[in-house]
């Protein structure tokens, strides 16, 4: 758009200009309020769900997971507010360097990672802190595709521009993350990319054909689980056959269902879950929503789902009001990531789909995840400042 250049152009020889680098205008208060509400509830539920497991597995330190999550949440809030003041258009300048760094980290983690079975997801740093490159990759793929589509939006109907390059980017990310034995994130990355391609204007006929191929692959995997690697194939078998239990493959899922059923309409009360006492293994992670259901009941769980739905709806409203294609796509990408991730997590916890090991945003334990998530919220808030103005 004609006004876009003015945002990122700086005066020659003067470096960053404050008027260009920072953005004015009010942030979207509803989006911020919902985010803070979810983060607060998430931290409370993380402590409630994790303290028995932390006590028995972390040297009797019941606050182990909560303390670490709280520190990263504070750092994430700082990153969120700083990013909300920075002109999001500057992110476009960082697209190629960030893409290169992310791909490098996704390759490094395949060879240098924590010793956690067959999973190659975390790069060990110091003091027991780890870094998960896939958390960074979620934002990188959003930024890369948003930047590309905004530049070639008028040609996205063409096969070369609208299908080949976007699918190539998606394939690289999905391929590297699949090698980490991280099926859930592989699926999430594909869905984020597909969403941006769809709203970005890719030919709907080719898009429909690709969707048909994906559905066919899903049917094949369900019919022949052995086509997948052992751990993934076993999880599909455990989902199909409720009696399938080599190495207790259904232990976590079954106890998750017990927790959900025990919650009833109003729940057993905050802190009163029984399933978190070493029945739902590592309840602070992927299956934390089952503890939410047990303690807060159907009413509490439904209220949290409605909060997530409100966040997604508000995100799409911000995107629709944005006068800049790049900003709009950034918001859609971040919003889609949160919405899809929440949907997949709840489907897993309720045994509606195979256990893929996907985290619940704002709730599940993970320092890198909460830090990156709040940074991305900051990006949405930055876009919302511009969305409230007539000119971009």
């Amino acid at each position: 758009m004609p006004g876009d250049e003015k945002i990122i152009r700086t005066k020659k020889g003067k470096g960053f200009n404050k008027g260009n680098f920072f953005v004015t205008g009010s942030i979207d208060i509803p989006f911020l309020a919902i985010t803070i509400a979810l983060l607060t509830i998430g931290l409370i539920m993380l402590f409630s769900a994790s303290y028995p497991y932390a006590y028995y597995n972390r040297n009797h330190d019941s606050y182990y997971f909560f303390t670490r999550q709280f520190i990263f949440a504070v750092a994430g809030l700082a990153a969120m507010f700083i990013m909300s003041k920075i002109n999001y258009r500057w992110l476009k300048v960082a697209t190629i360097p960030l893409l290169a760094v992310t791909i490098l980290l996704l390759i490094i983690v395949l060879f240098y990672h924590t010793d956690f079975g067959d999973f190659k997801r975390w790069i060990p740093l110091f003091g027991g802190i780890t870094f998960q490159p896939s958390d960074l990759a979620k934002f990188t793929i959003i930024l890369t595709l948003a930047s590309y589509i905004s530049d070639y939006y008028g040609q996205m109907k063409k096969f070369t521009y609208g299908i080949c390059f976007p699918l190539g980017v998606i394939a690289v990310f999905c391929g590297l993350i699949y090698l980490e034995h991280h099926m859930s994130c592989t699926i999430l990355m594909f869905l984020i990319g597909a969403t941006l391609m769809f709203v970005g204007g890719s030919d709907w006929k080719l898009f429909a054909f690709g969707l048909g191929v994906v559905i066919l692959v899903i049917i094949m995997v369900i019919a022949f689980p052995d086509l997948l690697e052992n751990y993934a194939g076993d999880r599909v078998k455990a989902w199909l056959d409720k009696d399938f239990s080599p190495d207790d493959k259904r232990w976590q899922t079954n106890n998750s269902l017990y927790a959900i059923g025990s919650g009833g309409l109003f729940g057993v009360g905050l802190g009163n879950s029984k399933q978190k006492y070493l029945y739902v293994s590592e309840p602070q992670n992927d299956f934390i929503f089952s503890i939410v259901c047990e303690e807060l009941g159907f009413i509490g769980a439904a209220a949290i789902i409605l909060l997530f739905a409100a966040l997604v709806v508000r995100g799409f409203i911000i995107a629709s009001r944005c006068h800049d294609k790049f900003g709009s796509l950034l918001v859609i990408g971040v919003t889609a990531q949160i919405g899809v991730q929440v949907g997949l997590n709840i489907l897993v916890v309720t045994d509606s789909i195979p256990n893929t090991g996907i985290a619940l945003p704002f709730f599940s334990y993970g320092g890198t995840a909460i830090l990156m998530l709040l940074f991305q919220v900051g990006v949405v808030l930055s876009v919302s400042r511009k969305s409230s103005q007539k000119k971009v």
Side-chain angles (χ1 to χ4, degrees):
M1 294 181 66
D4 289 348
E5 272 188 313
K6 293 182 181 179
I7 292 177
I8 63 172
R9 184 187 297 150
T10 57
K11 295 180 180 180
K12 186 176 181 181
K14 292 189 177 182
F16 288 144
N17 180 276
K18 184 178 179 180
N20 291 330
F21 187 67
F22 294 102
V23 64
T24 58
S26 59
I27 60 176
D28 191 86
I29 298 300
F31 193 88
L32 175 63
I34 298 169
T35 296
I36 297 300
L38 285 169
L39 179 63
T40 303
I41 298 170
L43 286 172
I44 293 171
M45 290 309 307
L46 175 69
F47 175 67
S48 180
S50 69
Y51 70 80
Y53 183 83
Y55 181 83
Y56 288 109
N57 293 276
R58 301 294 176 178
N59 298 320
H60 296 181
D61 182 4
S62 298
Y63 295 90
Y64 179 86
F65 296 109
F66 173 77
T67 301
R68 292 188 167 214
Q69 188 81 342
F70 183 79
I71 291 171
F72 277 99
V74 171
L77 285 172
M80 179 185 75
F81 283 111
I82 291 172
M83 184 60 230
S84 73
K85 287 293 294 180
I86 296 174
N87 196 321
Y88 67 88
R89 291 287 300 177
W90 281 99
L91 290 172
K92 201 167 187 178
V93 179
T95 302
I96 299 301
L98 183 61
L99 178 62
V101 169
T102 303
I103 291 176
L104 179 62
L105 289 171
L106 289 174
I107 294 173
I108 289 174
V109 76
L110 298 177
F111 303 97
Y112 178 65
H113 50 80
T114 55
D115 185 14
F116 190 72
D118 294 329
F119 302 105
K120 307 170 183 178
R121 302 179 185 178
W122 301 274
I123 297 176
L125 299 177
F126 53 87
I129 297 175
T130 59
F131 175 75
Q132 190 166 208
S134 58
D135 287 325
L136 176 62
K138 295 171 190 174
F139 177 65
T140 302
I141 194 171
I142 292 170
L143 178 61
T144 302
L145 291 178
S147 179
Y148 173 81
I149 293 172
S150 63
D151 285 341
Y152 295 97
Y153 184 71
Q155 303 186 65
M156 286 297 289
K157 295 294 183 185
K158 298 179 181 178
F159 180 78
T160 303
Y161 291 92
I163 301 294
C164 290
F165 180 83
L167 274 184
V169 171
I170 295 170
V172 169
F173 278 97
C174 289
L176 288 172
I177 292 174
Y178 181 78
L179 292 176
E180 297 178 9
H181 292 181
H182 200 173
M183 178 63 72
S184 61
C185 191
T186 303
I187 296 171
L188 179 61
M189 296 292 282
F190 175 81
L191 292 175
I192 292 171
T195 300
L196 287 172
M197 286 178 63
F198 180 76
V199 300
S202 294
D203 190 326
W204 70 269
K205 294 179 181 178
L206 294 173
F207 194 87
F209 174 77
L211 185 62
V213 171
V214 170
I215 293 173
L216 180 61
V217 170
I218 292 173
I219 294 173
M220 289 290 292
V221 166
I222 292 175
F224 306 100
D226 291 331
L227 291 174
L228 295 172
E229 294 182 69
N230 288 337
Y231 88 97
D234 283 347
R235 288 182 177 183
V236 174
K237 293 177 184 177
W239 175 64
L240 293 170
D241 182 0
K242 308 308 179 184
D243 296 324
F244 181 83
S245 190
D247 300 323
D248 291 322
K249 286 292 189 301
R250 281 196 58 86
W251 171 269
Q252 192 174 35
T253 301
N254 286 338
N255 280 283
S256 169
L257 295 176
Y258 297 153
I260 294 171
S262 300
L265 188 61
F266 298 105
V268 297
L270 182 64
N272 294 328
S273 164
K274 294 180 180 178
Q275 292 303 117
K276 66 186 177 187
Y277 285 91
L278 309 185
Y279 290 103
V280 175
S281 54
E282 298 194 35
Q284 75 280 0
N285 286 331
D286 307 335
F287 278 73
I288 191 172
F289 190 71
S290 64
I291 307 302
V292 171
C293 292
E294 184 181 7
E295 294 191 349
L296 304 185
F298 175 81
I299 299 298
I304 290 171
I305 292 174
L306 288 175
L307 277 176
F308 276 116
L311 189 73
V312 171
V313 170
R314 193 65 197 176
F316 282 122
I317 290 174
I318 294 171
S320 67
R321 292 177 177 175
C322 184
H323 306 283
D324 171 30
K325 185 64 65 178
F326 174 64
S328 180
L329 289 168
L330 279 178
V331 175
I332 290 172
V334 172
T335 304
Q337 176 195 322
I338 295 172
V340 171
Q341 197 166 329
V342 170
L344 290 177
N345 177 272
I346 294 174
L347 288 173
V348 166
V349 168
T350 56
D351 199 28
S352 301
I353 62 174
N355 183 356
T356 60
I358 192 164
L360 182 64
F362 299 110
F363 283 73
S364 296
Y365 174 72
T368 309
I370 195 68
L371 182 62
M372 282 303 306
L373 180 59
L374 289 171
F375 171 81
Q376 289 174 264
V377 169
V379 173
V380 175
L381 293 176
S382 174
V383 175
S384 74
R385 291 184 189 273
K386 280 296 181 181
S387 297
S388 65
Q389 300 174 16
K390 293 183 177 180
K391 294 184 178 180
V392 178

